Amino acid sequence: MVAPRSVRRAVLVVLLALVLPVLTVPAQAQTPSAHRDPGNGAERSTAAATAVPARALVAAEDENRRGGGRQGYPRQTELRVFPEEPADKAIKLGLLPYHAIAPRLNDLQDRSDRVSAEVIGQSTLGRDLYLVTVTAPETPAQARQQDHWRELIENDPRAAARDRGLAAGYKAPVWINANIHGDEWEGTDGAMRVIEDLATTTDPAEVRMLQSTRIYFTVTNNPDGRVAGTRANAAGFDVNRDHITSTQPESRAVRDVVIGTQPLVMLDEHGYTGTTLIEPGTPPHGQNYEYDLYLKHAYENALGMEKAIAGLGHPETARADIPFRDYPPGEWDDWPPIFTPMYAIYHGAIGHTVEVPLRVNRGEYDQLPVEELRRRSGINTDVAATTITAGIAYAEDNRRELIADQIEMFRRGWAGEPQREIPDGYVPGFGEEDRYSAEFPRAYVIPAGDAQRSAPAAARLVDHLIANDVRVTRALHPFRLAGRTYPAGSYVVDMHQPKRGLANVILAEGKDISADVPRMYDISGWSLGLLWGATVDVSREQAPKVRTTPVSVASPTGGIDVPRGRDLALAVADGKDVQAVNFLAGQGVTAHRQDDGTVVVPASARRQAETAAERFGVRFTRAPSGERGPVLRKPVIAAAVSADELFVLRELGFDVRPLSTRALNDGFDLAGVDTLFVSAGLSYSQLTGEARQRLAAFLTDGGVVTRGSTGATFNAEAGLLPVTAVRGRSDANGVVAVSGGEGVTGAGSPAHSFVYSPLWFTDLGSGVVAEQRYAEDGPLVAGHWLPGSADRGPAQAAGEASVVSGVAGAGARTVLFGTEPLFRGHPKGLYSQVAKALYWTAVG
Ligand SMILES: [Zn+2]
């Protein structure tokens, strides 16, 4: 590279077009959008999701035969074989179809005692997810010793640092994740090649390596996508955006792998960026990392992988793009923890995304000749296998230092030490633009009892923290902290713990990074502390002085605080409450809806209410005397929505029928539908006259809920509520502060919401209610939201309506969301707001 990295970045930002030809900057940096892939972002609002087939696949064999000692290695499983699928998209590329993987692994297990295959879960459609471990055989006692050392590193890093046996004998764990994007196939084939080579090698160096290393492969993290040739999984989720939310079985499976194996190095194999791409990434860097410990290894390992692919001799692999070294800030950042490698860093891994170079998916898949596709996939497989081999070699060559640095990361956590200042030039190009840091609070408290906004939400958050290997304790007595009083049973997250970075990235507010970089790759704000519906308090300096006990599962929260014979009330404050209401409606219980959204359940349905309380953790209180209110039916929703929204609406227990422009034009029957949900793939202007007539008839007594600009356009074209919708920049996103208004969804809603492509409403006509508004004094709490050329930033949105409601002239009760209350199944504390809107609009 010609110019020093920091200089080049500065120049790039200011004088992009003018200066680029002078500097030998990689082509990708000149046209940055070329290597940015969609990931369930703004484009979610273009096409409506269709139903996900619920069919579970049936394998040829149901029983898994367990072989070998469960405690030692190998720990082999005879994998069940899935039926041959001639339409598997991998076949055209000359790559392994999913159904061929289990037979290959079964055969390898027969031939080699270095190979273990296990099933770690099932995909959305029921295909097995495989974990393959390659290592020299271990007796049960040896495997127990490895487990002990792994736990010592995390639980008692000071002792681990002194343990000479550990330094000499702990096998370096390396984890390779492949094919998380289903139509980026070759990671699987490269992984299988490496597994097969290592299974049978007689090379003394490789045999020795397997005695000091355990290599774990999740050979395909998205088998449904692999077969169908889709980036997303079968539920329409981008699995590589789902970490720390974990809505999908594919992301939960690898979450448990990273926790269980505690890798020193991990690679996530993707494609296709034209030139091979190898992280570390650009700024902004995740502020909760021990970034010094990460970067020194990540940079060296990336250089080693680059050198290795150059050695392949293909002209297409002569060099790699290393975003940290080669791209301007914001172009390929490692800020959010939603990506597998970034998530893995918080568990102590040196995590890298690797992108193999040559595109074989999408248009190229359909248009290129088969020979060209296979030539490309061959090179891509070489790159995947070679980066894996080079990554393993790095772990072997640097085993002691990697172990020492993982120990150091956990030690700093336990000790509560600040992150390290990193000097300029720490690795070539490290400078001021790379400095991101966090000040860790001393503790978080998730209160119990009346101090808690929603007990089911608190329990969900606690269980989620534990599932992520964050340590949570429960106070045995009442206590005072930072000026507040907490009841016994309150949860404490003591930030003196090994994975404090992960705890903080989950619970902290986050940061407004709009001014730091011109744009970001994906989301920039998340905060489960603000968006998951639980009250989470922060104590900056003091730890609570109270006896606590470790928690492995949150306490049950459900119950009925009502004498027998009395009507029951359920405040709809959380998605769990919504699930309970929909469950009761499904049981034939006649519930009633009060003006404030509270649901009244007759005393006669007490038995069903008890079931709901136990199943969903909800609490019933005594219903107010007087009118019960109108009958609440479980609404039937016709939904032109994105895949994530469809997933959430079904999870909440609504009866949802997928809808689109075409479906409506093709005669979709609106009879029996209570409410339309419009956020994607429904355009009023593209409806036929006949479809518009059916819609007009529906709108005399049916309800409408919309989200985003697709929904706002529908509102305008169908002549529903008189408002003007104003759009912010399409890639702007983050956590926003909001003020609750009056109305059915605004009252009692959380003080924060989430936006992506933010929208607000002005010129509110008569009868239109502002349910919620963006906070007056700077709504963006965390994320990236620039005004853009239209000057529509947070300052312009401040004080404007984010959610509005009203009754349209034709009669339809209508609610318009400018926020993203269901985004990727993440902001769980906002679900009840949507449900309240659906219940209200459905009372026609
Ligand atoms: Zn990818």
Side-chain angles (χ1 to χ4, degrees):
M1 289 291 97
V2 176
R5 171 173 166 275
S6 52
V7 171
R8 193 167 62 245
R9 276 185 185 170
V11 171
L12 265 172
V13 172
V14 182
L15 294 169
L16 201 67
L18 187 66
V19 178
L20 274 171
V22 181
L23 301 167
T24 54
V25 171
Q28 285 66 32
Q30 297 180 41
T31 52
S33 58
H35 52 70
R36 295 164 70 91
D37 276 329
N40 294 160
E43 83 289 353
R44 285 156 64 252
S45 303
T46 52
T50 51
V52 175
R55 176 181 66 95
L57 296 157
V58 180
E61 302 164 39
D62 288 316
E63 293 288 307
N64 285 351
R65 174 168 60 77
R66 302 258 176 210
R70 282 293 293 148
Q71 304 302 313
Y73 277 96
R75 46 186 72 169
Q76 297 180 331
T77 304
E78 177 79 19
L79 302 171
R80 56 181 182 167
V81 174
F82 283 76
E84 204 168 306
E85 294 184 76
D88 188 310
K89 294 278 191 181
I91 294 170
K92 182 179 180 182
L93 301 171
L95 300 171
L96 266 179
Y98 175 77
H99 61 254
I101 296 173
R104 287 274 279 270
L105 290 173
N106 284 338
D107 174 57
L108 270 176
Q109 291 184 103
D110 289 342
R111 290 193 285 129
S112 172
D113 62 2
R114 299 172 192 159
V115 178
S116 305
E118 298 167 272
V119 175
I120 52 164
Q122 274 79 36
S123 69
T124 297
L125 293 181
R127 293 187 174 92
D128 287 336
L129 302 169
Y130 308 123
L131 173 66
V132 177
T133 307
V134 182
T135 193
E138 294 170 25
T139 65
Q142 287 170 330
R144 275 198 300 280
Q145 179 65 64
Q146 293 295 322
D147 288 346
H148 169 72
W149 281 328
R150 187 184 62 245
E151 286 162 13
L152 196 69
I153 289 169
E154 184 187 352
N155 297 337
D156 192 352
R158 286 176 189 280
R162 289 190 305 265
D163 192 320
R164 289 189 190 166
L166 187 160
Y170 181 55
K171 286 178 156 182
V174 176
W175 171 39
I176 310 300
N177 193 43
N179 199 202
I180 189 170
H181 289 144
D183 65 349
E184 299 167 10
W185 289 270
E186 293 90 341
T188 299
D189 300 80
M192 290 296 290
R193 183 187 294 172
V194 174
I195 292 167
E196 289 176 355
D197 288 350
L198 293 176
T200 54
T201 183
T202 53
D203 180 333
E206 289 182 338
V207 172
R208 240 188 346 268
M209 181 274 288
L210 290 174
Q211 286 164 352
S212 63
T213 314
R214 269 193 201 163
I215 311 154
Y216 304 100
F217 299 85
T218 32
V219 292
T220 167
N221 192 190
N222 183 359
D224 300 339
R226 180 178 190 81
V227 171
T230 58
R231 175 185 179 87
N233 73 351
F237 275 70
D238 187 328
V239 185
N240 200 37
R241 304 290 184 272
D242 194 44
H243 288 290
I244 76 146
T245 303
S246 310
T247 62
Q248 300 301 302
E250 293 88 353
S251 61
R252 286 195 294 270
V254 299
R255 172 191 71 192
D256 295 345
V257 167
V258 68
I259 293 169
T261 64
Q262 207 168 294
L264 297 171
V265 171
M266 83 79 57
L267 308 183
D268 202 27
E269 294 280 346
H270 290 252
Y272 305 97
T273 38
T275 303
T276 302
L277 180 147
I278 304 171
E279 287 175 344
T282 70
H285 307 299
Q287 63 183 143
N288 294 289
Y289 301 142
E290 302 299 320
Y291 192 64
D292 58 323
L293 301 176
Y294 168 73
L295 183 62
K296 66 174 176 180
H297 292 294
Y299 192 77
E300 282 299 315
N301 192 18
L303 294 178
M305 288 188 262
E306 179 182 46
K307 193 172 165 204
I309 61 160
L312 285 168
H314 303 298
E316 295 91 339
T317 66
R319 56 175 299 281
D321 285 348
I322 299 176
F324 178 88
R325 182 189 66 187
D326 301 329
Y327 290 176
E331 192 55 32
W332 193 284
D333 61 274
D334 53 39
W335 175 254
I338 58 176
F339 311 113
T340 318
M342 282 62 256
Y343 179 71
I345 295 171
Y346 290 113
H347 290 282
I350 308 302
H352 304 258
T353 300
V354 174
E355 301 266 350
V356 300
L358 305 175
R359 186 169 291 282
V360 294
N361 62 1
R362 303 183 197 162
E364 277 82 346
Y365 185 94
D366 295 324
Q367 286 149 25
L368 288 178
V370 170
E371 307 103 86
E372 172 60 9
L373 285 172
R374 293 188 174 194
R375 185 189 74 82
R376 291 183 177 198
S377 66
I379 293 171
N380 288 340
T381 304
D382 288 349
V383 170
T386 303
T387 51
I388 292 168
T389 309
I392 295 168
Y394 184 86
E396 190 199 9
D397 294 344
N398 299 278
R399 192 183 67 88
R400 281 180 185 253
E401 199 180 342
L402 283 162
I403 293 170
D405 288 336
Q406 193 181 64
I407 290 172
E408 169 66 6
M409 171 182 151
F410 295 142
R411 188 197 65 75
R412 288 182 197 170
W414 280 113
E417 288 181 8
Q419 294 160 318
R420 296 295 185 264
E421 285 280 329
I422 306 178
D424 285 353
Y426 175 76
V427 304
F430 187 94
E432 184 54 34
E433 72 279 14
D434 291 303
R435 288 199 180 89
Y436 285 83
S437 60
E439 281 186 27
F440 298 107
R442 185 62 188 81
Y444 288 96
V445 180
I446 302 170
D450 293 343
Q452 183 54 252
R453 198 156 65 219
S454 162
R460 172 179 55 230
L461 183 58
V462 166
D463 286 337
H464 192 73
L465 288 164
I466 293 165
N468 281 280
D469 204 25
V470 172
R471 286 145 207 255
V472 184
T473 61
R474 184 188 294 120
L476 295 172
H477 308 286
F479 62 96
R480 278 190 68 76
L481 183 67
R484 298 189 185 92
T485 304
Y486 296 98
S490 293
Y491 299 100
V492 176
V493 179
D494 187 326
M495 290 294 282
H496 286 191
Q497 63 169 296
K499 296 181 182 175
R500 53 118 181 241
L502 184 60
N504 212 48
V505 85
I506 289 174
L507 292 172
E509 282 188 357
K511 189 181 170 199
D512 176 355
I513 53 166
S514 309
D516 293 9
V517 289
R519 61 179 184 159
M520 291 286 288
Y521 193 100
D522 202 271
I523 62 162
S524 308
W526 47 91
S527 186
L528 283 63
L530 295 181
L531 296 177
W532 273 41
T535 298
V536 179
D537 292 336
V538 186
S539 176
R540 291 266 147 225
E541 306 293 336
Q542 276 188 307
K545 293 188 180 67
V546 62
R547 277 185 58 208
T548 61
T549 182
V551 178
S552 58
V553 60
S555 306
T557 53
I560 297 186
D561 308 327
V562 189
R564 290 190 176 276
R566 298 283 181 175
D567 284 357
L568 318 173
L570 183 61
V572 178
D574 188 80
K576 293 286 181 188
D577 302 312
V578 178
Q579 286 180 298
V581 170
N582 286 336
F583 166 78
L584 290 170
Q587 297 283 305
V589 171
T590 304
H592 300 258
R593 204 192 141 277
Q594 306 228 308
D595 284 345
D596 67 354
T598 300
V599 171
V600 174
V601 177
S604 59
R606 190 177 178 101
R607 189 176 50 78
Q608 291 94 325
E610 281 167 358
T611 306
E614 188 179 67
R615 186 173 298 178
F616 304 107
V618 298
R619 277 209 103 75
F620 292 87
T621 56
R622 191 163 166 169
S625 51
E627 287 291 305
R628 284 174 171 171
V631 170
L632 180 146
R633 278 173 305 141
K634 175 165 148 176
V636 176
I637 300 163
V641 297
S642 54
D644 48 352
E645 292 171 322
L646 182 60
F647 182 88
V648 175
L649 292 172
R650 291 225 159 109
E651 187 179 64
L652 292 175
F654 288 105
D655 183 349
V656 189
R657 301 175 189 173
L659 181 66
S660 63
T661 307
R662 178 193 274 185
L664 207 50
N665 283 340
D666 287 352
F668 185 99
D669 187 5
L670 289 165
V673 171
D674 294 297
T675 287
L676 293 186
F677 196 130
V678 182
S679 64
L682 181 55
S683 165
Y684 185 86
S685 60
Q686 288 172 23
L687 292 177
T688 63
E690 194 276 329
R692 285 187 197 182
Q693 277 179 12
R694 269 183 291 123
L695 186 64
F698 170 82
L699 292 173
T700 58
D701 64 349
V704 177
V705 175
T706 81
R707 187 270 302 164
S709 61
T710 298
T713 301
F714 179 85
N715 172 71
E717 292 181 345
L720 301 174
L721 298 186
V723 295
T724 302
V726 183
R727 298 183 201 191
R729 208 170 106 154
S730 70
D731 67 347
N733 70 78
V735 180
V736 291
V738 289
S739 61
E742 62 275 38
V744 280
T745 72
S749 287
H752 295 90
S753 191
F754 185 80
V755 292
Y756 197 113
S757 312
L759 196 72
W760 57 96
F761 303 99
T762 60
D763 309 327
L764 273 51
S766 80
V768 176
V769 174
E771 298 267 344
Q772 200 165 54
R773 291 179 183 277
Y774 293 105
E776 291 278 358
D777 52 344
L780 188 67
V781 172
H784 192 267
W785 180 356
L786 289 173
S789 53
D791 203 20
R792 290 172 183 172
Q796 286 73 38
E800 301 290 355
S802 55
V803 183
V804 295
S805 70
V807 180
R813 291 184 172 209
T814 303
V815 179
L816 314 179
F817 284 89
T819 54
E820 281 271 2
L822 307 179
F823 187 79
R824 296 181 186 168
H826 180 69
K828 301 194 190 296
L830 310 181
Y831 290 2
S832 63
Q833 202 183 0
V834 175
K836 284 195 233 177
L838 290 169
Y839 292 137
W840 179 72
T841 56
V843 179

